[in-house]
Amino acid sequence: MQIVLPPELEELVQRQLARGKYQTAIEVLLAGTKLLEHQEDIYQGRLQELQQEALIGWEAAQRG
């Protein structure tokens, strides 16, 4: 798969490479992808917590 990055994203990748933490653009993109997955995991976990809390509140309201 080949991906064409918009200029602002390409600049971001280049800045990360210039800082020396990453050796290749692929490493930068993999780090970004892992971060995205981590954020989604956190979001899904928090969403489930909120849904459970809402259910507990609704059940308590039904009981009076």
Side-chain angles (χ1 to χ4, degrees):
M1 172 189 308
Q2 290 186 355
I3 299 172
V4 177
L5 299 176
E8 61 275 5
L9 207 50
E10 190 171 339
E11 289 174 16
L12 177 99
V13 170
Q14 292 302 322
R15 282 195 309 272
Q16 293 299 317
L17 292 172
R19 291 180 181 155
K21 183 176 180 181
Y22 304 98
Q23 300 298 313
T24 66
I26 294 296
E27 289 179 3
V28 175
L29 296 175
L30 285 173
T33 302
K34 287 179 183 179
L35 180 60
L36 177 61
E37 286 179 338
H38 181 70
Q39 287 179 322
E40 287 178 351
D41 289 346
I42 290 171
Y43 172 79
Q44 285 301 319
R46 184 64 183 136
L47 178 60
Q48 289 175 354
E49 289 174 6
L50 290 172
Q51 288 172 332
Q52 183 64 30
E53 291 172 8
L55 180 60
I56 291 169
W58 183 80
E59 288 172 346
Q62 294 298 327
R63 288 190 302 270

